[in-house]
Amino acid sequence: MAALVDTLRERAVRFSLLSFLLWIVRIGAVALAVWGTLVTLSSGVFTAAQWKDFLIFGLAQGSVYALIALGYSMVYGVLRFINFAHGEVFMSGSMIGFFVADSMAQSGFWDSSPIAALGIVLLASMTTSTLLAVILERIAYRPLRDSPRLVPLITSLGMSFALQNIFRGLFGAGIKTYPVSPLLDGFITLGGINLIHKSQALVIGTALIFMLGLYLFVERTKTGKAMRAVAEDKEIASLMGIDVDRIIVITFAVGGLLAGVAGVLYAQVFRQVNFFTGFIPGIKAFTAAVLGGVGNIVGAMLGGLVLGLVESFGPSIVLAGLGIPSPHQLKDAVAFVVLVLVLIFRPSGILGERLSREKA
Amino acid sequence: MAVSRSPGTPALEQPIVITAFPSSAFDIRKSIRLGLIAGLILVLISAMGLVESFDDRMLIDPILSLGYVLLFLVPLLVGHIAGRLPPLLEGMPAPEHRPRDVLGGLVSGTVASILLALLVIATPVFDLRTLFINLSPTLVGLLTLNQGLASGLLLLVAIGATLGTIGSALHLLPDKWRSALVKSVTWVLGIALLQDLVLQLLRGLGLSFASRLIFTVTGGLSIPATVLIFGILLGAQLSIKTKGESLATRFARLPDSRKRRTLYAAGVLLLVVIVVLPQIVGPYISEVLDLVGLFLLMGFGLNIVVGLAGLLDLGYVAFFAVGAYTMAVLVSPSSPGFAPQLTFWLALPFVVGTAALAGILVGLPVLRMRGDYLAIVTLGFGEIARLLAQSDWLKPFLGGAQGILRIPNIPVGPIELHTPPQLFYPIAAFVALAAYTSWRLQDSRIGRAWMAMREDEDVAEAMGINIVTTKLLAFVIGAILAGFSGAIFAMKIGSVFPHSFNLIFSLTVLVIIIVGGLGSLRGVALGALVIVGLPELLREFNEFRFLFYGIILVVMMRLKPEGLLPRARRAREITEEERAQDVGMPVTATAADPGGT
C-alpha cells in the first residue's frame, strides 16, 4: 500500500514538473507575442494603408494555404497519415499552368482574351494535379493500406523528393515567371483609394468559391456523405456498402483538384514557380490543417486563413516589436513556431474534436 | 479460390484442376500493360536527362556506357517480370516455365521500346524541347544509336524486344546457371562502375601495371578484359560448390576459447585495415570515406532515435548544426561574438553539452506526440534552427548567412590533422565509439525499454518503463552523436554555413538507416556506404542523387520495409506479423525470446 502511494506521488511529481515546464513555455510565448505587439502598436510605425496591405496579403496567402490544407486534411481524415507529397501535387499544377500560360502569352491569346486564358490555365492546372494525386494513391499508397503507420509516411516523404527531382529533371531547375494577365494588373479603387490589388481579389474570391463548393460537396452529396463515413470508420463504411477504395480515390482527386486551383492562385500572388515551390507551402498548409483541426474541413479553411494572417502580421508586428532585425527573414520560422506550439498545446486544433490518443 | 488452410485441416487427396485458370506465364494483356509501364519509365528517364548524363560514364569501352545500361535494364527487367509465373494457388497444379512463355517478355520489351521510339519521333514534330529541356539532339542521337532516325529506331525496338525476350528466358535456365550469370554480369558492371576505386586500390597496392591492362585510357573496361573477367567469374561461380552453411553458423559451433581468439584476430585485422586503408586508397577515396564516416556517425545516432525508440525525427540535422556551430564558435578566431579559441579537444565537452541540451529542448515538448505529428514537429524544429542560424538576429553570434570561417585544424600532439587521409583516423575513432555505444546499448535495459516503447507506448508504460526519461535519453544520445559528427564536419570543412544544414541532410540520414534496416548496426554501415559513398564515387549521379533517395525510400517501404541487413529479431517480428495477417489472425506473442538476438 505504502509502495503504491509512493509511486503515485512520484508520478504526480513527474507529471507536474513536465506540465510546469510546458506552462512556462505557454506563458512565455503569449507574453512575448503580446509584448512585441504592444511595442509596435505604441510606436505607431504603420499607417492604416499598411495595416490594410498586411491584412489583404495575409488573406490572399491564407486562402492559398487553406486550399492546399484541405487536401492534407481530407487525406488525413480517411487514411490517417500526412501525405508529404501533396505539396508536390500543388507544385505540379502550378508548373503545368505556367507552361500553358506561357505558350498562350507567346501566341497573344493571353492578352486578347484574358478571361478564357485564365480559365484554360486553371483547367490545365486542376487536371494535372488531380491526375498526379490519383496516380500517387494508386502506385504509392494503395499497396500500403494496412502497413504500420510510419511506412506510408516515409513513402510519402520519398515520393515528395522523387517528384521534386522528376520535375526538376523534366522542366529544369530555373525559376519560371508567370506572365501578368492584363485583367489583373492594377487595383480595384473605391473613391480614389486603392482598395485591393485585382490579382489578390481574384485569389481570395476564387478560393472562397471553391471552398464553398467543397463544403457543399462534402455536406450535401451522397459521395460526400460516403467520404465522411469512410473518415469515421473504414470497416463499418464498407459493411454499409460503401466502396472504400473508390472513396479514397475520390478523396485524393478532390484534394488534388483543390491543390491545382491553389497552384494557379499561388502563381497570381507570388508570380514564380520552380520545382521546389511545393515543399514549404506544403508544410505550411499542413500547419494550417493542424491549426484548424486535422480532418475537419471548415477547420482547414479557417486554419489556412489564420496562418496566412499570422505570417503576414507576425514578423512585422511581433518580431519587429521585440527588436529583432530584418524580421521578414523569419517569416517561415513564425509559421513553424505556430505549428510546434499548436501541436504541443492544442493538437486538436481550433475546431477539431479532441483527437483520441490512437488517432492523434 | 484461394483457401488458406489452417494447420489442422487434412490435405486434399486429389488437386482440383480448373483448366480455365491460366497455368502459363504468358498473358498478352498483362505483358502489354507491363510494357506500357516500362515504356513510360524509359520515356521519363530519357526526358529527365538521366540517359544523357550517364552516357558520360563509359563502362565497357567503347560499346557500353552507364546510360545505355540504364536504358537496357528496363526492358530486361520488365521481360523478366512478364515471364514470371502466376502466383501459386493451393489446389492448383503448379505451373511450369515453358519456352512459349518467353513471348510475354518479347511483347513487353517491344511495347516498351516502341514507346521510347515514339518519344524520339515526337520530339522534333511537336518541338517538345521547349517543354522538356533535356530532349537534346545528343539524346536523340543516343537513342537512335547514331544510326540515323529510321534504322536507329528499328534497331532500338529490336534491341528492346531481344532484351525483353532474354529477360523472360532467364526463367528457363537452371537456377544455378541463372544466379551465376546474373552475379557475374553484376560484378563486371560493378568493377566497371567503381573504376576510380579499383584504380586507386591497384595503385595503392603497387599494381599500377594491372590497371593499364584492365581499363582503357579513355575510361571503362577494355573488351578483352571484360570477356576475361566475366569468364573467370562465371567459371568460378559454376565450379565452386557451396558449403551449405554460412560463416556465422560455423563460427557459432566453435568452442568458446577459439571463439574469443577468432574475435581478437578479426579485431586486430580490422585495426590494421583501418590504419593502412587511407594510405592505400589515396586522398580522393579518403575524402569519400571521411564523408561516409560522418554520415555513419549520424546514422548510428538516428538509428537509436528512429530504429530503436521508434521516434521519427525529420529535423535531425538540427543537432548536427548545433555541434558544428558550437565547435565553430569555440575554436574559430573569426567567430563574430564570442571567440575563446579553444582547441578541438577542449571544445568537445561543450559540444556534448550543447547537443544534449538541444536534445532535451526538442525532446521535452514532443514527449506526448507520436508518429506523424512527431515527424512534422521535428521537421519544424530543424527548419527553425536553420532559419535562426541564417537570420540577422543571431548574426552577432553565428555570423548569419556568411557563417563562421577560419576554423583551425585538429591538433594531435605535435601534428595537425587536415588532409583527408589524416582526418580519417579521428573520424574512425568516433565511429568506433558510436558503434560500440550503440551495440552495448541495444540489448541493455534501456535498449529494451526503447524497443518496448517503439512497439507500444501504453503497454511499455504499464510494464513500468518511465516514458519521459526513456524518450529523452533517446533524443539526447542521438543528439550527442549528431553533435560529434557536426563538430568534426566543421573542422574538416574549415567553416560552417547555415545553408549546409537543410532538410535534405536529415533525409539522407533517414535513407541510410532505412536502406540498411532500422535498428541494425550492420545495416547502418551498409547504408552509409551505399547512400553516401557511391554517389561520391560516381559524379554523374550527383545531380540525381535526391531523385534516387526519394525512389529508394518508396521502393524500400514497398518491398523490404525491414531493410537490406535487418537485425535478426526485427526481421522475425516483421515476418511473423505478416504471416499472422495472412491467416487473418492477430499477432500472437512470440514464444519467450531468449535475451539477445
Side-chain angles (χ1 to χ4, degrees):
Chain A
M1 196 63 204
L4 183 71
V5 172
D6 276 351
T7 34
L8 277 181
R9 186 175 301 147
E10 188 190 318
R11 186 156 290 200
V13 168
R14 203 170 73 212
F15 271 98
S16 67
L17 188 68
L18 181 61
S19 18
F20 178 69
L21 280 172
L22 290 181
W23 269 106
I24 291 183
V25 178
R26 212 178 293 212
I27 294 168
V30 172
L32 278 178
V34 171
W35 189 44
T37 315
L38 285 181
V39 170
T40 315
L41 287 183
S42 60
S43 66
V45 282
F46 295 115
T47 63
Q50 279 172 311
W51 282 106
K52 187 213 69 190
D53 286 346
F54 284 143
L55 179 73
I56 288 177
F57 183 74
L59 285 178
Q61 182 173 257
S63 42
V64 175
Y65 290 157
L67 284 177
I68 312 173
L70 285 165
Y72 278 106
S73 205
M74 288 192 298
V75 167
Y76 198 95
V78 295
L79 291 179
R80 305 252 173 261
F81 81 96
I82 304 173
N83 177 14
F84 271 105
H86 193 61
E88 275 59 50
V89 170
F90 152 80
M91 177 271 290
S92 74
S94 202
M95 185 80 94
I96 299 299
F98 161 77
F99 284 108
V100 174
D102 196 49
S103 67
M104 286 194 294
Q106 277 167 17
S107 70
F109 188 72
W110 183 257
D111 292 311
S112 62
S113 45
I115 296 183
L118 273 177
I120 293 172
V121 171
L122 194 64
L123 211 64
S125 169
M126 276 158 57
T127 317
T128 313
S129 294
T130 311
L131 275 178
L132 187 61
V134 171
I135 292 172
L136 266 182
E137 195 273 335
R138 183 69 194 82
I139 63 170
Y141 305 141
R142 190 178 298 180
L144 305 173
R145 203 56 69 65
D146 294 316
S147 29
R149 299 193 47 162
L150 286 188
V151 170
L153 185 70
I154 293 173
T155 304
S156 74
L157 197 62
M159 265 298 170
S160 165
F161 274 81
L163 283 174
Q164 272 173 27
N165 286 286
I166 288 175
F167 272 82
R168 182 185 148 164
L170 289 179
F171 303 112
I175 290 174
K176 294 154 182 68
T177 309
Y178 263 69
V180 179
S181 172
L183 202 65
L184 301 174
D185 203 11
F187 286 85
I188 297 176
T189 52
L190 188 74
I193 305 167
N194 286 344
L195 199 63
I196 177 170
H197 196 276
K198 282 179 185 164
S199 63
Q200 289 174 335
L202 176 89
V203 169
I204 298 171
T206 317
L208 285 180
I209 291 171
F210 274 94
M211 285 193 259
L212 186 70
L214 177 78
Y215 183 77
L216 293 179
F217 172 70
V218 173
E219 294 294 325
R220 297 287 160 83
T221 64
K222 204 160 180 176
T223 316
K225 205 177 200 174
M227 275 169 70
R228 283 180 288 143
V230 171
E232 199 68 39
D233 191 324
K234 278 206 282 288
E235 271 174 41
I236 305 287
S238 78
L239 291 178
M240 295 291 137
I242 294 170
D243 183 348
V244 174
D245 274 346
R246 195 178 132 256
I247 294 299
I248 291 175
V249 171
I250 291 176
T251 308
F252 269 88
V254 173
L257 187 127
L258 294 173
V261 177
V264 173
L265 298 185
Y266 180 87
Q268 298 313 311
V269 183
F270 296 99
R271 302 245 75 90
Q272 290 178 331
V273 46
N274 81 344
F275 72 99
F276 197 64
T277 30
F279 198 76
I280 296 292
I283 303 292
K284 286 184 185 167
F286 181 76
T287 306
V290 172
L291 194 61
V294 162
N296 183 323
I297 287 179
V298 182
M301 301 177 190
L302 200 66
L305 292 178
V306 171
L307 186 73
L309 290 174
V310 167
E311 259 194 57
S312 168
F313 283 107
S316 337
I317 292 175
V318 180
L319 295 186
L322 292 172
I324 292 173
S326 23
H328 280 279
Q329 290 176 332
L330 294 175
K331 184 181 147 191
D332 291 350
V334 169
F336 291 125
V337 169
V338 169
L339 170 73
V340 172
L341 291 179
V342 170
L343 279 180
I344 295 171
F345 298 120
R346 199 176 156 76
S348 53
I350 303 173
L351 293 184
E353 85 273 32
R354 193 90 219 158
L355 288 175
S356 59
R357 287 194 86 177
E358 76 268 23
K359 265 185 177 178
Chain B
M1 220 189 102
V3 184
S4 54
R5 253 185 296 144
S6 53
T9 324
L12 290 172
E13 292 298 322
Q14 295 244 304
I16 306 164
V17 179
I18 303 172
T19 42
F21 188 81
S23 60
S24 144
F26 181 53
D27 172 0
I28 183 97
R29 285 175 55 193
K30 188 185 93 182
S31 306
I32 292 178
R33 201 173 62 224
L34 281 171
L36 286 175
I37 294 173
L40 282 178
I41 294 175
L42 281 175
V43 167
L44 213 57
I45 58 177
S46 307
M48 275 165 47
L50 272 166
V51 175
E52 193 182 333
S53 34
F54 283 8
D55 189 52
D56 294 341
R57 168 74 54 165
M58 196 49 84
L59 294 185
I60 300 171
D61 200 38
I63 50 170
L64 192 68
S65 72
L66 184 58
Y68 279 120
V69 169
L70 198 66
L71 216 50
F72 293 160
L73 205 61
V74 177
L76 195 70
L77 277 178
V78 81
H80 193 68
I81 295 173
R84 248 189 344 214
L85 291 171
L88 178 65
L89 297 181
E90 240 168 302
M92 303 287 167
E96 272 175 24
H97 285 290
R98 281 176 301 185
R100 108 189 165 94
D101 293 349
V102 169
L103 281 177
L106 177 71
V107 172
S108 297
T110 317
V111 171
S113 44
I114 285 178
L115 231 60
L116 188 60
L118 285 179
L119 175 78
V120 177
I121 296 171
T123 302
V125 175
F126 298 106
D127 198 15
L128 286 180
R129 204 181 173 193
T130 53
L131 196 58
F132 302 109
I133 55 164
N134 282 315
L135 292 178
S136 60
T138 325
L139 178 74
V140 171
L142 274 173
L143 293 183
T144 50
L145 303 124
N146 297 319
Q147 302 288 319
L149 204 59
S151 50
L153 288 184
L154 276 179
L155 195 58
L156 181 72
V157 174
I159 290 178
T162 318
L163 287 168
T165 316
I166 294 175
S168 59
L170 279 178
H171 288 293
L172 297 174
L173 287 177
D175 279 349
K176 189 177 178 184
W177 273 87
R178 184 174 59 226
S179 93
L181 207 61
V182 171
K183 275 185 194 158
S184 311
V185 170
T186 317
W187 269 99
V188 169
L189 291 181
I191 292 174
L193 206 57
L194 297 178
Q195 189 188 347
D196 293 342
L197 182 67
V198 177
L199 277 177
Q200 292 288 352
L201 275 177
L202 289 176
R203 186 175 309 154
L205 295 169
L207 298 169
S208 298
F209 66 93
S211 61
R212 275 194 302 277
L213 294 177
I214 302 175
F215 297 108
T216 60
V217 190
T218 47
L221 288 170
S222 62
I223 294 177
T226 311
V227 175
L228 191 68
I229 295 175
F230 180 75
I232 293 173
L233 284 169
L234 192 65
Q237 299 260 355
L238 288 175
S239 58
I240 290 175
K241 286 201 184 72
T242 40
K243 281 257 166 69
E245 49 181 356
S246 64
L247 228 54
T249 50
R250 263 189 286 169
F251 176 72
R253 264 214 322 265
L254 290 176
D256 270 358
S257 60
R258 283 195 56 194
K259 242 185 215 173
R260 202 168 306 131
R261 230 179 304 155
T262 322
L263 272 183
Y264 279 135
V268 170
L269 193 70
L270 193 69
L271 207 65
V272 170
V273 168
I274 285 175
V275 170
V276 180
L277 194 63
Q279 307 308 328
I280 291 181
V281 294
Y284 172 56
I285 306 283
S286 294
E287 171 80 30
V288 176
L289 285 176
D290 288 356
L291 214 58
V292 170
L294 289 177
F295 273 94
L296 194 52
L297 209 48
M298 292 182 77
F300 283 137
L302 194 63
N303 180 51
I304 288 176
V305 183
V306 182
L308 296 184
L311 308 161
L312 183 57
D313 184 348
L314 295 183
Y316 195 60
V317 65
F319 303 130
F320 180 81
V322 165
Y325 266 104
T326 309
M327 185 51 82
V329 165
L330 292 179
V331 302
S332 168
S334 64
S335 153
F338 165 75
Q341 297 196 37
L342 302 178
T343 61
F344 174 80
W345 303 105
L346 274 179
L348 213 50
F350 293 98
V351 170
V352 175
T354 49
L357 193 68
I360 292 175
L361 278 182
V362 171
L364 266 183
V366 302
L367 275 176
R368 290 179 191 154
M369 287 175 205
R370 293 177 191 187
D372 24 22
Y373 274 30
L374 180 74
I376 198 117
V377 167
T378 47
L379 187 140
F381 273 127
E383 286 294 291
I384 292 172
R386 183 176 59 83
L387 289 165
L388 284 181
Q390 221 168 333
S391 71
D392 287 352
W393 182 34
L394 296 179
K395 194 171 182 175
F397 308 99
L398 303 180
Q402 285 82 40
I404 299 174
L405 307 170
R406 290 173 54 205
I407 297 173
N409 301 321
I410 301 179
V412 177
I415 52 167
E416 288 198 341
L417 307 180
H418 64 106
T419 63
Q422 288 172 338
L423 279 170
F424 178 81
Y425 299 112
I427 292 176
F430 276 101
V431 168
L433 182 73
Y436 182 73
T437 318
S438 308
W439 179 62
R440 295 293 295 175
L441 275 176
Q442 66 183 5
D443 289 321
S444 69
R445 192 178 175 80
I446 182 77
R448 281 175 286 135
W450 282 331
M451 283 183 269
M453 195 171 73
R454 176 187 72 199
E455 298 308 324
D456 193 319
E457 214 173 297
D458 294 325
V459 174
E461 192 162 19
M463 301 306 281
I465 291 170
N466 183 341
I467 294 292
V468 176
T469 46
T470 312
K471 258 193 195 178
L472 283 183
L473 212 56
F475 273 113
V476 167
I477 295 178
I480 291 175
L481 291 183
F484 279 148
S485 182
I488 306 174
F489 178 77
M491 304 300 283
K492 180 172 169 302
I493 305 290
S495 51
V496 278
F497 302 105
H499 306 283
S500 331
F501 309 116
N502 49 25
L503 178 70
I504 285 174
F505 221 109
S506 305
L507 187 86
T508 308
V509 186
L510 186 70
V511 178
I512 286 174
I513 63 171
I514 282 176
V515 165
L518 288 176
S520 147
L521 297 178
R522 294 175 305 155
V524 178
L526 176 78
L529 274 175
V530 173
I531 297 299
V532 180
L534 269 187
E536 290 298 326
L537 288 176
L538 305 169
R539 267 146 297 162
E540 290 80 10
F541 267 88
N542 237 333
E543 198 185 329
F544 300 99
R545 67 198 287 175
F546 301 115
L547 171 73
F548 285 111
Y549 289 177
I551 292 175
I552 286 172
L553 277 184
V554 175
V555 172
M556 289 299 294
M557 284 296 115
R558 176 88 167 79
L559 299 179
K560 236 175 147 29
E562 76 274 19
L564 293 179
L565 282 180
R567 279 189 82 190
R569 184 198 296 198
R570 183 85 186 120
R572 207 159 63 226
E573 277 163 10
I574 285 178
T575 46
E576 251 152 42
E577 224 164 289
E578 274 170 4
R579 213 175 303 142
Q581 274 172 3
D582 282 349
V583 292
M585 287 194 312
V587 187
T588 46
T590 325
D593 190 7
T597 49

